[in-house]
Amino acid sequence: MAITMISSFVLALYIQLLLPANQTGLYLLPIVVGLFIGWKFGTIIKAPAILNGIYNGTMGGIMGMMLGAVLQNPALCNIPIESEAMIVSNMYSLAIFAACLHALISQFIRYSFRV
């Protein structure tokens, strides 16, 4: 569950940050990518895990998409940030944090498969 959620979260965050803001047709792309990641990780185990993987992948995709939207426009949550440099700084720092978190969770999962 952890690798499905964090993988889809990080990938959806990156897709949301990289896509232009005026492309309304591509808003479902992070959710579909999260659904696919959940399905692929769910098929590693047996049939009940597929539903769990799809759910966690979709939720991770939605959360990553929402965090990416808030990082691009903090006024959505009434966060008072005036300067564009501060917004860019927050985007970079949270994107790097998400990458480090994904690497850490991946290492924990790889370790658990070996033990």
Side-chain angles (χ1 to χ4, degrees):
M1 287 181 3
I3 192 68
T4 304
M5 182 73 81
I6 195 68
S7 295
S8 60
F9 174 78
V10 170
L11 197 59
L13 174 68
Y14 291 156
I15 289 172
Q16 183 69 25
L17 291 178
L18 291 175
L19 288 177
N22 57 1
Q23 297 275 333
T24 58
L26 296 176
Y27 280 136
L28 289 179
L29 182 64
I31 297 171
V32 171
V33 168
L35 184 115
F36 180 72
I37 288 172
W39 176 69
K40 288 305 279 184
F41 277 114
T43 56
I44 292 174
I45 310 172
K46 300 206 185 267
I50 294 174
L51 288 176
N52 192 11
I54 288 173
Y55 175 76
N56 284 323
T58 305
M59 286 298 118
I62 291 170
M63 288 189 312
M65 185 177 66
M66 289 188 317
L67 180 63
V70 169
L71 285 176
Q72 289 176 341
N73 186 7
L76 291 173
C77 293
N78 293 329
I79 300 172
I81 296 179
E82 292 86 21
S83 68
E84 185 72 27
M86 192 171 195
I87 292 173
V88 171
S89 170
N90 286 342
M91 275 198 304
Y92 287 149
S93 62
L94 284 174
I96 291 170
F97 173 73
C100 292
L101 182 66
H102 185 248
L104 182 69
I105 296 294
S106 297
Q107 289 299 322
F108 284 151
I109 297 298
R110 289 183 67 205
Y111 177 74
S112 71
F113 283 150
R114 280 190 274 150
V115 172

